[in-house]
Amino acid sequence: MKKFLQKILLFIWIPIVFIGTNLIVDPSGLFIDLSEPVEHLKNNNHLGSFTNYDERSFVKEFLKRSNGEKYDIVVLGSSRSFQINTNSFKEKKRLLNLSLSQARLQDLVTIYYLLKINNITYDTLIISIDPDYFFGKPDYRWRSYERDYLNALNEFKIQNKLLVSNGVKPSALKQMLSTDIFKLSIRKILQNDLKHYELLEDSSGYKGSIKCPDGSLLYPMNKRNSGDKENISQFLRNKNYFVSNDIIVQRKTLFESMVEQITSTDKEIIFYLSPFSPRLFTINSLYKNNIELTETYLKVNLSSYTMIGGFNLNEEYPDSDMFYDLNHPKRSLVNELFAKSLD
């Protein structure tokens, strides 16, 4: 028995070090106090390299701490609308960009609900549309606020519990036991990079990504490059979308229910179609099909609304240098599109 206990004591330090390292370094930002970065942004500071965290929980915390506030413009969308910012408009506006990486329709419904229950008012709601809302494979990051999503469906009387029971909810314990997380932890230790973000007074001179006070995101040029062969091959290899001859009915129903709920208010609604790089249309005919089906559906069903941009602007903007990568237009292009449409 004594020898058995000695063997246990001999090896027990391995899981302790493994889990302890993941917990202390926390490279995915699972346990950081989100109230602190929220307050930094609300105090008009910028956050450098603030990328590894639960964006959904962050947005929820931000809206909670913004209870009762008034904005001129609120933006909902995916990472392809992160570049919409206060300078996208000629007149100075108080803008709040609530875009999320890999956003799905569940995110849009939930955030609209969180805006409502936190008594946040605004004059204009910009909804950025992404083909992945209708054709993207399920992404379950939204499940970090699943209860809010279900409450939203109930509040808005939407009879469409899209993908509620599918997928695996993110588990902090599973990530603490992840070898990939452990590798990231060790890498951050070796690089002496244990901060979750850097506090910046402004965006000048910083080489990494920057979260701005208005919620928009500045991408580092050295990480997003439309001519990067590895970036293109990764996009083709991941194939995070379904190919179909029509929009998935359940998703279309949820989208239309959400739009109907929003249009029941007197607020101005603008739909934004973030353009794709011209390179995408030459290398991926399958995804091009999804893009064209989505744009046709939107132009038929949302023709009465103001619509900015377009998924395929190759004739107007054939230069791929106006894009960070295949999916994300540069901030300068976004500002130009808004200036032209709202002139």
Side-chain angles (χ1 to χ4, degrees):
M1 184 65 178
K2 184 177 180 180
K3 290 184 178 180
F4 177 71
L5 290 175
Q6 287 177 336
K7 287 183 179 180
I8 292 177
L9 293 174
L10 182 63
F11 294 102
I12 198 172
W13 64 272
I14 297 177
I16 292 175
V17 170
F18 187 92
I19 297 174
T21 301
N22 285 348
L23 182 63
I24 294 171
V25 178
D26 189 18
S28 297
L30 295 172
F31 304 105
I32 63 174
D33 181 4
L34 292 173
S35 62
E36 187 176 89
V38 164
E39 285 305 310
H40 287 317
L41 286 183
K42 293 184 70 63
N43 289 329
N44 213 37
N45 292 303
H46 294 65
L47 302 179
S49 300
F50 185 48
T51 53
N52 293 325
Y53 65 103
D54 184 342
E55 292 182 31
R56 277 77 180 159
S57 297
F58 179 82
V59 165
K60 183 174 180 177
E61 180 69 21
F62 191 100
L63 295 179
K64 178 182 176 182
R65 289 175 175 266
S66 302
N67 192 292
E69 292 192 23
K70 169 73 167 62
Y71 291 89
D72 298 312
I73 299 169
V74 170
V75 180
L76 305 182
S78 68
S79 65
R80 296 184 353 94
S81 53
F82 264 137
Q83 300 307 306
I84 301 175
N85 63 97
T86 52
N87 294 324
S88 299
F89 305 86
K90 289 184 178 180
E91 297 180 6
K92 193 69 175 176
K93 302 285 186 180
R94 190 178 189 216
L95 179 141
L96 179 60
N97 192 323
L98 298 173
S99 298
L100 296 166
S101 300
Q102 297 291 323
R104 294 293 186 262
L105 289 172
Q106 294 95 331
D107 289 300
L108 272 61
V109 171
T110 305
I111 295 177
Y112 180 68
Y113 168 74
L114 292 173
L115 285 165
K116 185 174 181 179
I117 66 171
N118 285 292
N119 305 305
I120 295 171
T121 57
Y122 47 86
D123 296 323
T124 302
L125 182 66
I126 296 177
I127 302 177
S128 176
I129 306 296
D130 198 303
D132 284 348
Y133 297 164
F134 305 104
F135 295 100
K137 289 185 178 178
D139 186 293
Y140 296 102
R141 276 176 271 195
W142 63 270
R143 296 195 69 180
S144 61
Y145 49 29
E146 180 179 358
R147 181 173 296 178
D148 296 299
Y149 172 62
L150 295 174
N151 288 338
L153 295 180
N154 183 61
E155 172 75 16
F156 301 146
K157 297 180 173 57
I158 297 176
Q159 303 296 320
N160 189 326
K161 297 183 178 181
L162 179 64
L163 304 178
V164 167
S165 61
N166 297 333
V168 179
K169 190 173 182 178
S171 166
L173 177 60
K174 287 182 179 179
Q175 293 196 51
M176 286 299 95
L177 296 173
S178 167
T179 54
D180 290 334
I181 295 295
F182 183 72
K183 290 175 184 177
L184 282 175
S185 297
I186 296 300
R187 188 182 307 161
K188 290 180 76 68
I189 291 173
L190 294 176
Q191 294 174 349
N192 194 26
D193 178 25
L194 301 181
K195 296 180 180 178
H196 289 292
Y197 58 85
E198 293 185 50
L199 187 59
L200 310 170
E201 291 185 2
D202 55 48
S203 60
S204 58
Y206 191 77
K207 295 182 179 180
S209 61
I210 300 175
K211 187 74 170 176
C212 302
D214 61 10
S216 63
L217 187 69
L218 280 169
Y219 290 120
M221 287 304 300
N222 63 332
K223 289 189 177 181
R224 290 186 178 269
N225 186 340
S226 60
D228 186 351
K229 291 182 180 179
E230 182 179 348
N231 183 293
I232 293 172
S233 63
Q234 183 179 3
F235 178 87
L236 294 173
R237 186 170 61 250
N238 286 345
K239 200 174 180 180
N240 292 322
Y241 56 88
F242 297 111
V243 179
S244 174
N245 293 324
D246 198 1
I247 291 174
I248 299 171
V249 174
Q250 199 176 22
R251 300 189 186 192
K252 181 166 61 175
T253 303
L254 179 60
F255 175 74
E256 291 174 355
S257 298
M258 180 190 72
V259 172
E260 182 180 355
Q261 170 63 36
I262 295 173
T263 53
S264 65
T265 70
D266 295 328
K267 308 299 183 184
E268 179 187 21
I269 302 173
I270 295 175
F271 290 95
Y272 169 61
L273 277 61
S274 181
F276 290 90
S277 167
R279 293 174 63 86
L280 176 63
F281 295 93
T282 63
I283 66 173
N284 195 325
S285 60
L286 294 178
Y287 197 69
K288 179 184 177 182
N289 175 69
N290 291 356
I291 293 171
E292 292 174 344
L293 285 171
T294 302
E295 186 154 9
T296 299
Y297 164 74
L298 295 174
K299 288 183 176 179
V300 169
N301 291 275
L302 303 178
S303 59
S304 60
Y305 298 94
T306 300
M307 197 170 293
I308 295 177
F311 295 138
N312 187 350
L313 300 179
N314 294 359
E315 292 184 5
E316 297 176 68
Y317 302 97
D319 187 359
S320 61
D321 287 341
M322 301 193 77
F323 295 81
Y324 291 111
D325 56 20
L326 295 175
N327 296 306
H328 300 83
K330 291 182 180 177
R331 180 167 288 214
S332 57
L333 174 54
V334 172
N335 290 349
E336 185 176 331
L337 290 173
F338 273 81
K340 287 173 60 177
S341 298
L342 302 178
D343 197 1

